[in-house]
Amino acid sequence: MSKLNEEVKKELASFINSLDVVLTPSDLRAPKDLFFDSGLVVFEDSLVGVDEVADCLAEEKRKVFLLDNEYDDYGFLKALIEANEKGQWLIVDCKIDPSPQMISILKQVSDRNSFTVPNFNNQELFSLKINSNTRIIFCIESKLLEKITYPSFVNLFGPVIRI
Amino acid sequence: MENKFEFSSQEEQRKIEAIKEEMGIAFYEKEGQKFVNILGVELETYATEEDIKEIKERWVLSEFDIEVIRIIAECYKLRQPLMLEGGPGAGKTFLAEKFIKIIHGKDAPILSLTGTSKLTDLDILGHWTPKGSDGEDETAYREKLGELMKKGEGRDVNDEFNQKLLELNERFSSGFINEDDFQNEYSQLLGEYKDKSYEIISTMAHNEGFIKSGSDWQFKEGPLLQAYSGREGKGNILFVDEFNLIPSNHQQIFLRIGGKEGSISDSFDFHGNSGKNRYSRGKDTWICFAQNYPEKTGGRSVVVDAMADRLVWKSISPEASLQKKKDIILTGGGRMDSVSKEIASVTMDKLKISIPTKEQLVWYDTPDRELGRQITQIINSLDEIFVNKYHQVGDRIIGEGNEEIDRIQKFEFSARAPLRFFSYIDNFQVKDPETGKIDFAKTIQDGFKRYYLGCLVSLNLQKEIEEAMKEIIYGDIGKVEFEGEIKTRKEVLDILVERSCGSNQKENVGEKTKDTLTGFRSFEDSLSRKMNNLSDKIRKI
């Protein structure tokens, strides 16, 4: 049973919808190059968690990944690739300060909806263009958010919602 | 068929117009190779004509963009590592990535590194890993590796390396050792560090069961080494974003990219895969850095002097971004194509950017050597004026509280700046459109802006020093006695150019010498690569 009240559910639905439909240029110099954003959900209430966010999407449309190991770049990448192949939304339950590699991926996705990483999948450079049906949502507790070492972490995302 | 973008002395003005018609970025093919001409800077490209066309169509160019893309093109051509510094939204990442696409194609992968305070040498250079490990195995291994390097023996090794590197930097900064000695000692230090790291990592990996025998290792090259010799030795352009978020001890890893005459080093020495210890610079290797101002955006540190000195530095002042915003608005966010083209055309006309001539003069090798003497004297004067003024008043920036404050980012201005300047003069000489002769006064002016004024944020300080520069070159302050008469430096330079070009024999001698020197450098590079390959083969045996 959802722990969210109706108002918060509406806000979350609006957040999901804006992630789904809104495209913006990452730089005003190229206004025709439109990209979708990643989203950030900040839990102010410790009783609320990633399940409430996941429930906003149909099961076949989402993939949840638990990020609780800062060295698990591989796990994060693998989950993203799998979600991307199926056009699913990747919902990341973030329990740690993300690694530099993860930050780099999020930044690249934010800038151009694609990314390149070295030494993955037996490739010197592995590149992936994000499926237009795929989105990334990071879910994080507000106390952890304050401890994230990358100072522009919130700027990696478009819509941000606090629940 | 004549290439409309390749200049010759008689038709240069027409060709400049042709470049402007293409919004400053023109694709062409020559002898089966593809080129892009960016405001007169000719570069090889892997992109197609359609790629370049599409990139330009979707880009609302502003005067500022053109200035910066030209700087990027110049630094790429000369293989001088570049730092773009500016506020958030200034366009640093955008312009760097656009350039990479112009060179490598619109869908080319972009090798990049995002600085964070957690970035370590493992992320930058790469790391040893059990052969064939991937997936969950690698995650478990990296977890143990991370713990090892953060605590216990690994941390001790890191601390020792950082301390020795700090001392080495201090000895170099204070002049106790020269550049060559610094590079040699740095390579040695890095080698020792990697040997010690390998020892403790190997012990850990055996104890934890990640590997069974000594041969079960592989080295996964990180972005910096891939920049040098990825793509089967051709190298990559590496874009390092948020550089000043990287802890200063790890920033120092990049010191090794400093090479001859202020360009990227010919190789990066490192203990890598299968005993290889030298990553030679590929033909496409280049590194571009970007960062926000440490004074204006929290969490950023300064770049250490020794590292800042290895970079061509372009500071993007807030005022420069304002015109961009206006252009975006006037084009309706790019919706009004005709207005976009109009703005681009006006921009091109307003531009004071000089297009380099194809016919470069070997200025240091004229028969009487006087041209070289004059140029070096001027550059010496300009360097002195700039450095004295800089140390006297320092650079200023509008801080987070909207008040003007001293910049905390400082610069050394070692001999690298004039050495880069000379490379610039070798390659980007421009002609006086009225006389058709090479205008060294203008060339020097452009180079001075590039390597000295470009690193300043304060427009007032830039203007002040620029005025002093003009006085040296064109004014009374810089006048010298030349053959019994008092003349401005500009007048003397023009006379000497006239003499250098007046005699065909003199010009041919200069050209022959230039060809010989170019050939010698190519031979030197080729020999160096062959020696490295031979060393690798011997090592494998």
Side-chain angles (χ1 to χ4, degrees), chain A residues 27-33 69-74 97 100 107 112 116 119 124-125 127 149-150 152, chain B residues 58 60 64-65 90-91 94 97 109 118-119 135 139 142-143 221 226 231 241-242 300 324 328 333 337:
Chain A
D27 192 293
L28 294 176
R29 288 170 173 83
K32 294 177 187 174
D33 285 345
N69 182 342
E70 66 174 303
Y71 301 102
D72 196 11
D73 296 339
Y74 174 82
D97 184 14
K107 189 166 198 307
R112 50 185 136 91
T116 298
N119 297 314
E124 194 175 84
L125 287 181
S127 293
T149 49
Y150 183 64
S152 306
Chain B
R58 303 172 82 83
V60 179
F64 162 75
D65 287 354
F94 175 86
E97 291 187 354
K118 289 164 68 168
L119 206 71
T139 298
R142 286 193 57 208
E143 194 172 345
E221 282 100 4
Q226 288 207 25
R231 285 171 69 236
D241 205 353
E242 304 267 34
R300 273 81 179 171
K324 171 203 96 172
I328 300 298
D337 282 345

Side-chain angles (χ1 to χ4, degrees), chain B residues 257-535:
Chain B
I257 71 168
K260 288 182 288 209
E261 297 187 357
S263 64
I264 288 179
S265 57
D266 292 334
S267 65
F268 197 104
D269 295 337
F270 186 70
H271 289 274
N273 201 9
S274 303
K276 176 178 174 183
N277 66 0
R278 173 159 289 189
Y279 288 77
S280 296
R281 191 183 88 188
K283 74 179 200 59
D284 296 331
T285 299
W286 187 56
I287 307 174
C288 181
F289 298 80
Q291 65 181 35
N292 288 307
Y293 293 118
E295 298 89 353
K296 292 169 78 71
T297 31
R300 273 81 179 171
S301 61
V302 293
V303 175
V304 297
D305 293 1
M307 186 63 215
D309 194 56
R310 278 156 169 76
L311 308 173
V312 177
W313 203 281
K314 172 61 186 168
S315 275
I316 301 166
S317 66
E319 291 85 351
S321 301
L322 287 177
Q323 184 59 46
K324 171 203 96 172
K325 182 180 168 186
K326 186 180 169 188
D327 289 343
I328 300 298
I329 293 170
L330 290 177
T331 62
R335 289 169 178 78
M336 295 153 68
D337 282 345
S338 59
V339 179
S340 297
K341 283 188 179 138
E342 211 176 285
I343 285 178
S345 164
V346 168
T347 298
M348 288 289 145
D349 285 336
K350 272 167 56 183
L351 276 181
K352 299 287 184 276
I353 291 179
S354 321
I355 309 269
T357 178
K358 194 86 177 149
E359 297 166 347
Q360 305 277 313
L361 192 59
V362 185
W363 56 273
Y364 47 83
D365 196 37
T366 54
D368 63 357
R369 305 284 192 268
E370 187 58 30
L371 183 59
R373 252 195 295 274
Q374 289 290 327
I375 288 173
T376 52
Q377 281 173 5
I378 293 170
I379 289 174
N380 188 53
S381 298
L382 294 176
D383 181 83
E384 272 179 6
I385 283 176
F386 182 91
V387 173
N388 286 343
K389 191 71 186 177
Y390 178 79
H391 286 310
Q392 194 184 11
V393 306
D395 198 7
R396 310 268 292 167
I397 189 170
I398 306 294
E400 282 183 283
N402 264 341
E403 74 292 358
E404 206 181 38
I405 55 173
D406 292 336
R407 282 221 70 187
I408 57 174
Q409 178 63 59
K410 305 280 184 209
F411 300 96
E412 250 180 26
F413 299 112
S414 73
R416 281 196 184 89
L419 285 174
R420 287 191 197 107
F421 206 155
F422 295 138
S423 290
Y424 184 91
I425 297 175
D426 289 342
N427 286 274
F428 297 121
Q429 293 163 23
V430 294
K431 284 190 174 174
D432 185 328
E434 287 177 12
T435 65
K437 300 276 185 236
I438 290 176
D439 187 347
F440 277 106
K442 181 72 173 74
T443 305
I444 289 170
Q445 207 175 324
D446 291 342
F448 185 68
K449 284 181 188 169
R450 188 68 71 247
Y451 297 114
Y452 289 85
L453 297 181
C455 68
L456 299 177
V457 178
S458 165
L459 290 181
N460 288 337
L461 185 57
Q462 280 186 35
K463 275 185 195 147
E464 199 180 323
I465 298 179
E466 201 172 345
E467 285 309 310
M469 171 195 69
K470 286 177 180 168
E471 272 299 313
I472 294 282
I473 298 174
Y474 301 99
D476 292 338
I477 287 177
K479 277 183 174 172
V480 289
E481 190 182 327
F482 181 72
E483 295 176 352
E485 289 181 38
I486 303 297
K487 293 193 180 297
T488 65
R489 292 284 192 179
K490 157 81 176 160
E491 285 167 338
V492 173
L493 289 171
D494 286 348
I495 290 168
L496 292 170
V497 165
E498 184 75 45
R499 287 181 192 171
S500 300
C501 298
S503 157
N504 283 339
Q505 188 179 7
K506 284 179 192 173
E507 190 170 356
N508 286 342
V509 165
E511 282 303 308
K512 277 184 187 163
T513 307
K514 188 178 178 183
D515 286 344
T516 304
L517 283 169
T518 305
F520 176 74
R521 286 195 188 113
S522 296
F523 170 72
E524 193 183 36
D525 286 344
S526 169
L527 184 61
S528 178
R529 275 195 295 276
K530 285 189 167 112
M531 292 300 291
N532 293 337
N533 288 340
L534 185 58
S535 298

Side-chain angles (χ1 to χ4, degrees), chain B residues 149-167 193 249-250:
Chain B
M149 301 312 283
K150 280 184 191 172
K151 312 170 198 175
E153 273 186 287
R155 186 174 170 171
D156 292 341
V157 168
N158 277 340
D159 287 347
E160 190 191 342
F161 170 72
N162 289 327
Q163 183 56 36
K164 285 186 177 175
L165 188 55
L166 194 64
E167 287 163 8
Y193 168 67
N249 55 340
H250 294 303

Side-chain angles (χ1 to χ4, degrees), chain B residues 45-267:
Chain B
T45 180
Y46 296 93
T48 64
E49 187 167 12
E50 290 69 36
D51 284 347
I52 303 286
K53 194 175 165 195
E54 190 180 318
I55 289 167
K56 287 194 307 185
E57 271 172 2
R58 303 172 82 83
W59 185 357
V60 179
L61 275 169
S62 66
E63 199 173 319
F64 162 75
D65 287 354
I66 287 167
E67 187 202 346
V68 174
I69 210 78
R70 166 66 190 259
I71 292 170
I72 295 174
E74 285 172 4
C75 289
Y76 177 72
K77 185 163 183 103
L78 300 180
R79 293 301 187 266
Q80 293 172 349
L82 172 67
M83 166 65 82
L84 298 173
E85 186 186 39
K92 311 178 288 291
T93 307
F94 175 86
L95 290 171
E97 291 187 354
K98 273 286 178 257
F99 178 78
I100 294 170
K101 288 176 190 287
I102 287 170
I103 297 298
H104 285 285
K106 67 177 177 61
D107 296 322
I110 295 178
L111 177 63
S112 63
L113 188 64
T114 302
T116 76
S117 57
K118 289 164 68 168
L119 206 71
T120 68
D121 56 330
L122 302 180
D123 300 304
I124 298 168
L125 291 168
H127 58 273
W128 291 103
T129 188
K131 208 177 250 182
S133 75
D134 208 348
E136 286 90 2
D137 289 342
E138 172 143 7
T139 298
Y141 166 76
R142 286 193 57 208
E143 194 172 345
K144 285 289 176 193
L145 180 65
E147 284 169 14
L148 180 72
M149 301 312 283
K150 280 184 191 172
K151 312 170 198 175
E153 273 186 287
R155 186 174 170 171
D156 292 341
V157 168
N158 277 340
D159 287 347
E160 190 191 342
F161 170 72
N162 289 327
Q163 183 56 36
K164 285 186 177 175
L165 188 55
L166 194 64
E167 287 163 8
L168 179 63
N169 273 334
E170 281 169 3
R171 282 164 52 224
F172 176 59
S173 298
S174 48
F176 280 120
I177 55 172
N178 62 26
E179 173 76 41
D180 285 342
D181 288 340
F182 171 84
Q183 298 287 12
N184 288 335
E185 285 193 44
Y186 180 87
S187 294
Q188 215 171 323
L189 185 60
L190 194 59
E192 283 168 15
Y193 168 67
K194 289 305 156 190
D195 283 341
K196 285 184 185 172
S197 301
Y198 179 76
E199 224 178 277
I200 57 169
I201 290 169
S202 179
T203 305
M204 177 277 286
H206 276 101
N207 292 344
E208 296 290 334
F210 291 116
I211 59 165
K212 306 283 182 283
S213 81
S215 62
D216 289 348
W217 287 104
Q218 64 178 355
F219 185 79
K220 289 192 173 179
E221 282 100 4
L224 183 53
L225 297 182
Q226 288 207 25
Y228 269 80
S229 59
R231 285 171 69 236
E232 294 168 341
K234 285 186 277 200
N236 284 292
I237 297 176
L238 170 63
F239 178 57
V240 183
D241 205 353
E242 304 267 34
F243 184 64
N244 57 357
L245 277 179
I246 301 173
S248 55
N249 55 340
H250 294 303
Q251 282 183 21
Q252 288 173 124
I253 291 166
F254 289 90
L255 287 172
R256 194 61 188 84
I257 71 168
K260 288 182 288 209
E261 297 187 357
S263 64
I264 288 179
S265 57
D266 292 334
S267 65

